[in-house]
Structure formats: C-alpha cells, structure tokens
Amino acid sequence: MPGRILIVDDDVTRRITLAARLSGAFYDIRIAGSDEEAFALMQQWKPGVILVSDQLSAPTVRDFLQRIRQDSRCSDTIIFVVTAAWAQTNRAELLSQGADDVIPRSEPDEVFHARLRSHERARAMVEALQLRGDGGDTPPMPGFSDATMDFTGRIPVTMVASDAGMAEAWKTAMSASRRIHHDIVTLDQITRTEELRDTQDDTPRLLVMGLQAGNESRVFRIIAELRSQRHPPETEVVLIAQDPSPRCVSQGYDIGASEVMTNGLDAEELNARLINLQRRLERRRCLRSALADGLRASVIDPLTGLYNRRFALPRLNQLAANAGKAAGSFAVCIADIDHFKAVNDRHGHLAGDTALQCLAGVLRDNLRPCDLLARLGGEEFLIMLPETGPNESLYIASQLCEIVRCSPVPLDTQRPPLNLTVSIGVTIGQLGQRSAEELLTDADSALYTAKRNGRDQVALHARTSYLSEISGEMRLSS
C-alpha cells in the first residue's frame, strides 16, 4: 500500500505546489484547506504523514500540533511542519510542540523524499510491532495501543565528533543541557563499529555523529554496519553537518540516519530532537515488550501457567524429528485426572480450577528440566520425556501417579483436602516412525486402557515393529 500523506494548508497555491512535488512518488495524497477539513477527512482515512504549513492562519500551526497530538488515532502519525526558507529559527519550539521534523519549502526534492522515506520506515516499524500493516485502518491488537510514558531522567547520548576541535565545541554547547547526558568521543577514537557498540549495552540508545567534508564515507560505513548487524541494538542516529550537499543529506537518510541537521549544532534544537527520538525508542521498547508478552500468552495456559496445545504439538513434531536423526527413543504421556467431573459437581468449578493448578504444580516439580509439560485441555496433560525408553517411562509415570495420590489439594478451612488420582497413558517414539498426531492417538489409547483397568495406574502402548520385547498393550499399576 502506498504511503498516505495529508497536506494541510489554507493557501491553495502552496498546497497544490506541495502536492505536485509528491505526485511522481506513488503516494496516496489528500489535501485539506483547514484543520476542520483535515480532521473530518481523518475520520475515514488515516494518514501516515501530515505536512502542515507553518503559515496556517486559524488555527495556528501550534494549535494544530497540540490538537492532533491529543487525538489517539494520530499517536503514530508523522508530522512535518513546512516553513518558508526564512522561517527556520523556531525549529526547536515546533519540535517540542509535537512536530517530528521541520523542513523548508525550498528543500531540494532528493532531500525531501529521502526524509519522507526515513520517517515512513520508522512509522512502518511501529505498525509492524502493533501487528497491523494496512496503513493504519485497523485498530492495533489489544495491548498494543497504550500510550507510553515519557522517558524520565537524563537521556544518555553518545556523540561522535569529527575531530578534537568539534568535540570541544560540542562539549561547550551542550554543557547547559539538563535533559541530555552526553559522552563525547572523536571519530578517530572509533576504529571499529564493535568499539562503538562496546560503549553501551544493547539497550535502546541515541547516537549523534558529526559530518564534515572528507569523513562522510567513514560515518556512513559505521551507520551501515550498525544497521546490518545480525542483532542490532535499537539505535536512533542524528547527523550534524554545516551546509552539506543535498546528495550527502539524502545519502545520510537512506543509509539509516533518523535526523540530519544541516546548519551545524544548535543545542536547543538537538535537545528537542533527542527528546523526540528517545520517546520513539521508548514507544518501540514498550511495543516490543507487549508483543513478547502477547506471544508468550498465546502459548501459555492462563489457568495453570503450563504450555498449551498450540506450543506442545510443534515441539512434539520437533522431538520426533530429532529422535529420528539421533536414532533415540522418547516417551509421550497423557495424564488425566480420574473422576474430575465429580470434583466439579461436588465441590464446584472453583475447586476444580484449584485442583488443576495444584496438579500442574505437582507434575512440574517432579519432572526433569529436559521434560516438557503442557495442558492439552480440560483435565488432560501432555508429558514429553526425551531420550527415554519403555522401562524409564513406566517408572517415571508410576512415580507421578504415586506422588499425585499422596498430594491432597487444600480447599478452604471449611472443607477437608481433596484427594486426587491420575491415569497415565504412555507410548514410545523411535526413529521418527510416527507423527505427533499418531503419537498422541497411541498415548490416548493407552490412557483409556488405564481407565478401563481401574484408573490410578499407567498403561503402555507398544508397537511391536520396533519394540520387540513388548507385545500388545502392557499396563503397570502404581
């Protein structure tokens, strides 16, 4: 889907001219002549980028920024304030008020488009972490749209100056900053990208680098190496240059820079940019954390805290494949609580939930670290025992039966503890001869054998094609 851009300007000539500059870049462009027209349009169509003129008459651009940043639908929308060439002195103020960048109307096309591409990549990364990639029409998945808190405390920044003179000038200029904790080094002190990484751990961080004629290739190489690492740290990069060529600026954006300041170091503007970038890093950190929590929740049974069927079946297939390569055997067990319906009917579903939780804890505490325990559903539990043959699996399963029998479930002070027993069906996998579904079917068949023979016992399902010492189905009472 093409990037969506909304142009907001109450001057018809300016907005048409700006739209014409974008017409050949395959963007989906809409135009609004006022803030009310813009907000009405955004009711049905969410832009990824908004280009708003700094010469809005009513409301002012500052009022527009404040209103749009208060709209939850636009929390991840990129906002550029487009200014006249002579109106670039208030960039820091506009950045602090909600603009992602401030660009002159006369900016060369190659720089303008490179800047757009850079911010579009940042926005697309956020949408990917929100599990949506449709341009933002679909709301984020639950838990992925929460607003993040601003970063509190001083923001750590590594600053790489071109030479000692630039480093000293930067140190003086940044000395009054109360929000930024800067560590200034020179480019000559950074001979390898690994050394730059070693200055900080892999937590999200900010990097400022100075560009001068002659050092562009070294700086760009460092950024490219940072971006291309197998597990790159979360890094936002600001380049600072004095009147660089348009080609140099566009290369900086395309190589991976987040911002390029083209008028040298302005401490107030840099502070505003770093605060915005830190907020962007924090936003992505929170989304990554929410995504990790969501993925974990999708494979964890919420009642028992064990893995669920979705996680267990692929692992069982993997275990079968690995056992086939190693010519080893493994055991697949299904444990089922005996007479569990009677527990729910007699003591209530809350007691049934308590029984499931306690049983999960007992099983988990009495298995090896290499074993896998999962809840298949209801009162059934799957146990996978790697590198385990028939005799070992029978012993382990019978021990589990005994331990469960001797571990009554405490209910409340008004009722005596609940005594549980389990039946366990066991099958042996070897040489990759059966799929996960077939292994589960055989274990389930053995479980029913244990049930039919009186419960509170183990039954082993044997396949004589590879277990010649076992014939038919064999059971072992515990």
Side-chain angles (χ1 to χ4, degrees):
M1 175 175 290
R4 295 175 174 181
I5 297 180
L6 173 63
I7 298 172
V8 184
D9 196 331
D10 51 17
D11 183 278
V12 63
T13 302
R14 289 197 301 260
R15 63 178 183 256
I16 291 177
T17 301
L18 187 53
R21 293 181 66 183
L22 295 165
S23 60
F26 304 103
Y27 290 110
D28 182 6
I29 301 169
R30 306 289 174 91
I31 295 175
S34 68
D35 67 324
E36 292 302 330
E37 187 178 343
F39 279 97
L41 180 61
M42 286 189 289
Q43 294 291 332
Q44 295 84 28
W45 182 84
K46 180 184 174 183
V49 177
I50 296 176
L51 303 175
V52 57
S53 171
D54 71 330
Q55 295 173 279
L56 278 180
S57 55
T60 66
V61 66
R62 292 163 182 79
D63 292 336
F64 180 83
L65 289 172
Q66 181 180 16
R67 180 179 176 186
I68 203 163
R69 285 310 186 200
Q70 291 174 345
D71 190 329
S72 61
R73 296 169 300 171
C74 302
S75 59
D76 300 312
T77 301
I78 303 297
I79 304 177
F80 288 172
V81 176
V82 185
T83 72
W86 43 264
Q88 288 284 293
T89 57
N90 62 343
R91 289 193 298 268
E93 181 184 357
L94 291 169
L95 290 166
S96 299
Q97 291 171 343
D100 290 283
D101 214 338
V102 181
I103 59 177
R105 201 174 302 279
S106 58
E107 183 168 72
D109 279 352
E110 65 176 307
V111 176
F112 182 38
H113 289 291
R115 194 191 301 265
L116 278 173
R117 289 193 297 270
S118 174
H119 283 280
E120 276 281 275
R121 286 194 297 269
R123 185 189 59 80
M125 188 181 302
V126 169
E127 286 201 345
L129 291 171
Q130 290 176 318
L131 300 183
R132 63 184 188 187
D134 55 359
D137 290 327
T138 303
M141 294 288 286
F144 293 91
S145 59
D146 301 336
T148 58
M149 299 291 291
D150 284 347
F151 184 84
T152 57
R154 301 184 72 189
I155 299 172
V157 180
T158 298
M159 303 182 69
V160 183
S162 298
D163 51 39
M166 179 183 284
E168 191 61 32
W170 282 6
K171 184 177 180 180
T172 301
M174 299 297 293
S175 61
S177 176
R178 297 185 180 277
R179 287 296 309 274
I180 307 300
H181 174 73
H182 57 268
D183 177 23
I184 301 179
V185 297
T186 65
L187 192 58
D188 288 338
Q189 293 174 291
I190 304 297
T191 58
R192 296 182 304 115
T193 305
E194 288 79 5
E195 292 176 3
L196 182 60
R197 285 197 66 184
D198 290 343
T199 61
Q200 300 187 31
D201 58 23
D202 286 341
T203 57
R205 81 274 184 85
L206 297 169
L207 176 64
V208 177
M209 303 193 74
L211 269 181
Q212 281 186 340
N215 77 351
E216 297 98 328
S217 61
R218 292 178 65 189
V219 171
F220 291 163
R221 186 180 69 250
I222 289 173
I223 297 173
E225 288 176 356
L226 278 173
R227 298 300 193 201
S228 63
Q229 288 168 358
R230 185 175 182 183
H231 299 292
E234 283 274 2
T235 306
E236 296 286 352
V237 181
V238 179
L239 295 178
I240 299 179
Q242 185 66 52
D243 299 321
S245 68
R247 182 172 181 273
C248 180
V249 177
S250 62
Q251 280 185 320
Y253 278 117
D254 287 337
I255 208 72
S258 312
E259 310 276 5
V260 181
M261 297 173 58
T262 59
N263 296 312
L265 176 62
D266 179 313
E268 187 178 2
E269 179 185 343
L270 180 60
N271 283 350
R273 290 185 183 276
L274 291 173
I275 290 170
N276 285 345
L277 290 175
Q278 179 63 42
R279 191 176 293 122
R280 182 191 292 180
L281 283 173
E282 186 67 10
R283 172 78 166 142
R284 291 207 300 266
R285 185 194 66 79
C286 290
L287 287 173
R288 289 186 191 281
S289 177
L291 181 60
D293 290 344
L295 290 174
R296 184 178 184 277
S298 72
V299 297
I300 296 296
D301 173 56
L303 178 64
T304 62
L306 302 179
Y307 290 117
N308 61 17
R309 190 184 191 96
R310 177 184 294 174
F311 178 88
L313 294 189
R315 290 299 299 271
L316 180 54
N317 272 318
Q318 185 181 38
L319 179 62
N322 290 341
K325 293 175 183 177
S329 61
F330 60 93
V332 178
C333 314
I334 296 180
D336 182 273
I337 301 177
D338 296 325
H339 304 295
F340 185 69
K341 184 178 183 301
V343 173
N344 282 327
D345 292 344
R346 187 175 307 162
H347 302 282
H349 288 280
L350 184 59
D353 289 348
T354 301
L356 290 168
Q357 291 169 334
C358 288
L359 176 63
V362 169
L363 295 176
R364 181 172 47 225
D365 292 344
N366 289 279
L367 289 170
R368 303 167 301 181
C370 64
D371 300 331
L372 188 140
L373 174 64
R375 184 185 178 197
L376 288 178
E379 64 271 26
E380 282 194 345
F381 295 82
L382 173 65
I383 303 168
M384 287 183 265
L385 307 173
E387 299 181 8
T388 306
N391 294 331
E392 294 172 288
S393 63
L394 285 171
Y395 176 77
I396 292 172
S398 63
Q399 287 295 107
L400 291 176
C401 283
E402 182 177 352
I403 292 169
V404 170
R405 189 187 314 117
C406 298
S407 303
V409 177
L411 295 178
D412 53 49
T413 56
Q414 309 298 323
R415 292 180 291 180
L418 182 65
N419 294 311
L420 295 179
T421 61
V422 294
S423 300
I424 301 178
V426 180
T427 189
I428 305 300
Q430 194 175 41
L431 298 175
Q433 292 186 355
R434 284 177 290 165
S435 66
E437 290 75 13
E438 290 173 320
L439 289 164
L440 286 177
T441 298
D442 287 349
D444 201 49
S445 174
L447 171 65
Y448 278 105
T449 298
K451 294 282 189 181
R452 285 196 305 268
N453 285 286
R455 295 182 172 83
D456 189 18
Q457 59 184 270
V458 178
L460 176 66
H461 184 283
R463 293 206 172 219
T464 55
S465 59
Y466 65 90
L467 290 175
S468 57
E469 74 274 17
I470 301 174
S471 59
E473 287 186 344
M474 163 183 148
R475 75 177 181 278
L476 174 73
S477 282
S478 54

